[in-house]
Amino acid sequence: MTSEPDMLPNVSSLPAWLVPSVYLNWSEDWLGEAVAIASRSHEHRLPGGADGPQRGDVVVTVVGSEPGIVAAVELMGTSQGEDWVSDEVFGPDKPVVWDDLFNGAAAYARSSGWLPQEHARLVLDGIAHQYKHGATGTLDAGNCETDELSPNLHVLRLLGHKQVAGADLRREERCASCERFVDVMHMRPHDDGAHTGQTGERPLGELIEQTFLVCAPCHALLHPHPVLSQRAQMRPSCPSCGQRGATKRIVWGQAIHDNMKLEPDVVYGGFDTPVPTPDWYCPECYANFSSGAVAQRALGDLPEAAPVPVPVSAGAIGTPPNGEDLWIPEV
């Protein structure tokens, strides 16, 4: 994308009432758009055509859920959404809380189009004020599990990445917990502010600093939840069908008696342990596999087939009571 800095003035130098018009781009794809803006990717796009912004118009891109985050304020360099001139002053390093700009912002949620002149002035003046004086977030500490707030936290962390990490965002970043490289599209935002003892509003910069991007299993460990839920999150995905959260551990070397209490969410393979020994069983495609090994379908390529209990023999196991799972070894 080419720019024309000598032909078009900087957005920050334009009073709102002198701007020809302001086009509000409230993106439906809040995560993809935030990643594109933060990583300076060409995937950051606007709908083109005659109804889109024209040369000289200001484009205010809002991402996230309501109230939303102003991710970028840019000036059109050519017509019909073909070329933008990015304004670094109001770029992704300085995200702005949209709800603070003017009353009635909810009417524009998840929509794109032209702002009325009076609203355009309030929006641009509000952005300039927040840039000069700083913005205050209204998210309560530790609220990253709330669906309405999670997109906002994710966007803030992505857009504030350079401010915090001192480096440009990449499509794969290290999980802040386990430090594995994970696609940022698959990461979860974690608000660590609950551990600071703070309540109520926090300055936007502080909110960004206290928000971390972590992989889904690590995020599950960072919040109170049932043990079975955590266990499902930490179990490996099936390498055969890709199902995550459904695989079950195979317990070997344990005989089953009628009156014993079976451990939940596992399958019992029998008293004799085969070699090689599968560790996991997938109830979705009936595959069994070892950690780090390629899965094999235990019952062929018929996903509708159901496991059949192994006949009872000396030293082997019988069918568990109450219909609990019984893993069937391959023949």
Side-chain angles (χ1 to χ4, degrees):
M1 184 172 71
T2 60
S3 62
E4 304 174 63
D6 297 332
M7 300 178 62
L8 293 172
N10 191 284
V11 174
S12 60
S13 66
L14 295 175
W17 58 90
L18 294 181
V19 174
S21 58
V22 174
Y23 189 96
L24 174 64
N25 176 34
W26 197 309
S27 176
E28 293 280 353
D29 182 15
W30 60 267
L31 180 55
E33 190 76 352
V35 172
I37 294 174
S39 59
R40 305 297 199 273
S41 167
H42 292 293
E43 295 175 9
H44 175 33
R45 288 286 184 262
L46 243 184
D51 295 332
Q54 306 296 314
R55 176 182 171 85
D57 294 334
V58 173
V59 180
V60 178
T61 300
V62 182
V63 291
S65 63
E66 195 176 338
I69 303 296
V70 176
V73 180
E74 296 158 299
L75 198 61
M76 283 301 302
T78 57
S79 61
Q80 300 184 357
E82 295 174 357
D83 187 23
W84 295 357
V85 178
S86 179
D87 186 345
E88 295 300 333
V89 174
F90 299 144
D93 294 338
K94 291 286 184 180
V96 171
V97 180
W98 172 259
D99 198 41
D100 290 346
L101 302 183
F102 69 96
N103 294 331
Y108 298 97
R110 298 172 184 84
S111 65
S112 295
W114 304 103
L115 285 175
Q117 186 176 11
E118 63 274 15
H119 284 184
R121 176 176 179 175
L122 290 173
V123 167
L124 293 186
D125 287 347
I127 290 173
H129 182 271
Q130 285 199 19
Y131 173 76
K132 183 177 180 180
H133 301 287
T136 300
T138 58
L139 308 182
D140 291 332
N143 250 352
C144 51
E145 283 293 324
T146 306
D147 292 340
E148 289 76 12
L149 301 182
S150 182
N152 282 23
L153 286 172
H154 210 153
V155 166
L156 286 172
R157 181 57 182 175
L158 288 172
L159 298 179
H161 184 277
K162 190 171 183 179
Q163 172 186 335
V164 175
D168 288 329
L169 181 77
R170 297 164 295 194
R171 289 306 295 263
E172 284 192 346
E173 291 290 343
R174 287 190 184 275
C175 166
S177 175
C178 68
E179 300 184 287
R180 293 184 300 110
F181 277 101
V182 181
D183 190 321
V184 294
M185 301 288 283
H186 299 153
M187 283 181 156
R188 299 285 303 276
H190 172 68
D191 182 3
D192 210 41
H195 299 288
T196 65
Q198 290 179 291
T199 58
E201 295 186 351
R202 286 168 288 170
L204 190 60
E206 191 170 305
L207 180 61
I208 295 173
E209 290 178 358
Q210 293 172 352
T211 302
F212 297 89
L213 293 180
V214 296
C215 64
C218 285
H219 193 254
L221 290 173
L222 293 169
H223 289 274
H225 53 275
V227 171
L228 291 182
S229 175
Q230 175 175 321
R231 176 186 289 179
Q233 288 287 340
M234 298 301 293
R235 284 179 171 177
S237 59
C238 175
S240 177
C241 68
Q243 179 71 24
R244 174 174 286 278
T247 53
K248 298 185 178 184
R249 181 177 292 279
I250 304 172
V251 176
W252 296 101
Q254 182 172 334
I256 293 180
H257 308 288
D258 291 339
N259 297 326
M260 70 178 293
K261 185 176 181 180
L262 301 178
E263 185 179 356
D265 206 32
V266 301
V267 293
Y268 292 84
F271 189 79
D272 296 325
T273 304
V275 178
T277 307
D279 302 310
W280 303 98
Y281 169 73
C282 177
E284 298 294 326
C285 68
Y286 313 124
N288 61 85
F289 58 98
S290 300
S291 299
V294 176
Q296 296 178 345
R297 293 188 182 275
L299 298 175
D301 296 324
L302 299 176
E304 68 277 4
V308 180
V310 175
V312 179
S313 61
I317 63 172
T319 302
N322 303 322
E324 278 83 1
D325 290 307
L326 176 67
W327 179 79
I328 308 303
E330 293 181 281
V331 179

